[in-house]
Amino acid sequence: MRRPIVAGNWKMNMLQSEAEDLVKKLLEWNGLSQSVDIVIAPPYTALGVVRKLVKNSGIQLAGQNIYFETKGAWTGEISAAMLKDAGCQFVILGHSERRHYFHEDDALINQKIKAALENELQVIFCVGETLEQRERAQTQEVVALQLKNGLQGVHATDLEKMVIAYEPVWAIGTGKTATPEQAQEIHCYVRKIIEKDFGKIVAENIRIQYGGSVNSENSKCLLDQEDIDGALVGSASLNLESFTAIINSAN
Ligand code: PGA
């Protein structure tokens, strides 16, 4: 049995006071369960305040990015070790907003994944096709290539420290969600690729989250699918009611 994992990607939202307010309410909520991994990815500036609040609560912390170098003259960047030092257990890498707006390619993402793993940060590795690619029936090809390139040189044992997030780009922040069947099809395909490259046991154990306009209404049907092991949630994670409803549906 794969343990469900629900992660809230706050993106560039939440001042420290807002973060404090939301996390305090989340901690007061009586549904924090033993059976779902809950991860929050605040912006860097709110990591400190969230870290203090979630200590011993079971809620885990993620950073939204790292640079692959260990230290030095890289103005504006932070390393895997710094994120670890700031209390993070996870980092989100390969997110479509990083790929699109900041021109991150598979080779760079691969370097970041390796840097994270070397520093014992778990990785939420995002893959997904654009609308154009889906319409051209290239979804599987695109996802397979992102996986192959992103996981180049990564060992099977490291996959234990990774979660894959399938996030169709056309579903992110658009209010359009993949149907449970569309999502399941790609999740199953991702698992097959992992099996081919890393073996059956790794494929059976790796958790694959769905992301892209997940909300309190659609989460249950998505999470009921056999190969959907959790959700990577953007805008709905900024709201207590919707985030907790999504966690409930993973339970
Ligand atoms: P969204 O974002 O839920 O707002 O669509 C998901 C994501 O980018 O991870």
Side-chain angles (χ1 to χ4, degrees):
M1 264 298 270
R2 295 180 294 268
R3 188 178 157 87
I5 175 165
V6 174
N9 174 11
W10 288 2
K11 309 190 181 184
M12 198 172 75
N13 294 293
M14 296 281 186
L15 299 177
Q16 295 186 42
S17 56
E18 295 168 317
E20 192 172 349
D21 190 46
L22 179 61
V23 174
K24 276 188 179 157
K25 287 188 188 137
L26 185 60
L27 293 168
E28 280 162 19
W29 174 59
N30 60 8
L32 282 183
S33 75
Q34 303 300 313
S35 54
V36 179
D37 281 345
I38 302 170
V39 180
I40 297 177
Y44 300 135
T45 48
L47 279 174
V49 41
V50 175
R51 175 193 198 169
K52 278 200 198 112
L53 288 170
V54 301
K55 198 170 172 215
N56 302 326
S57 72
I59 296 177
Q60 301 183 83
L61 267 191
Q64 298 177 16
N65 188 25
I66 50 163
Y67 195 53
F68 65 85
E69 293 285 354
T70 47
K71 56 161 80 170
W74 306 101
T75 303
E77 295 296 317
I78 71 154
S79 69
M82 287 170 178
L83 217 50
K84 200 92 221 256
D85 189 46
C88 291
Q89 293 86 8
F90 285 86
V91 60
I92 299 171
L93 293 173
H95 192 278
S96 75
E97 285 150 19
R98 300 295 320 170
R99 291 178 189 264
H100 181 71
Y101 299 119
F102 302 97
H103 313 292
E104 293 196 9
D105 61 14
D106 288 348
L108 177 61
I109 293 161
N110 176 248
Q111 282 177 295
K112 292 185 176 197
I113 288 175
K114 288 189 202 152
L117 293 170
E118 272 161 27
N119 285 278
E120 273 157 41
L121 266 181
Q122 298 175 66
V123 176
I124 297 178
F125 172 32
C126 308
V127 296
E129 82 289 1
T130 63
L131 183 58
E132 204 183 13
Q133 290 162 335
R134 176 161 280 265
E135 283 171 349
R136 288 202 202 129
Q138 292 171 333
T139 300
Q140 295 197 349
E141 189 188 318
V142 168
V143 167
L145 195 65
Q146 288 173 342
L147 286 170
K148 178 169 171 265
N149 292 339
L151 297 176
Q152 197 78 247
V154 172
H155 301 290
T157 48
D158 284 332
L159 274 269
E160 281 167 23
K161 288 173 251 145
M162 292 189 71
V163 173
I164 312 275
Y166 168 58
E167 298 206 302
V169 180
W170 49 272
I172 297 177
T174 57
K176 286 186 206 155
T177 333
T179 63
E181 295 74 27
Q182 281 174 325
Q184 166 59 23
E185 184 194 353
I186 304 305
H187 279 236
C188 176
Y189 178 69
V190 168
R191 208 175 294 287
K192 279 202 189 112
I193 298 203
I194 299 291
E195 181 174 342
K196 181 167 69 64
D197 294 341
F198 298 97
K200 200 171 171 60
I201 294 171
V202 174
E204 270 168 11
N205 288 337
I206 196 159
R207 294 179 294 179
I208 309 174
Q209 294 176 306
Y210 171 79
S213 296
V214 176
N215 59 37
S216 51
E217 265 117 65
N218 59 28
S219 56
K220 176 91 175 76
C221 290
L222 286 160
L223 288 157
D224 275 350
Q225 301 297 311
E226 194 180 333
D227 288 293
I228 302 186
D229 308 310
L232 180 54
V233 187
S235 59
S237 71
L238 301 172
N239 171 282
L240 180 76
E241 285 70 37
S242 50
F243 192 52
T244 51
I246 295 166
I247 298 168
N248 271 337
S249 55
N251 229 331

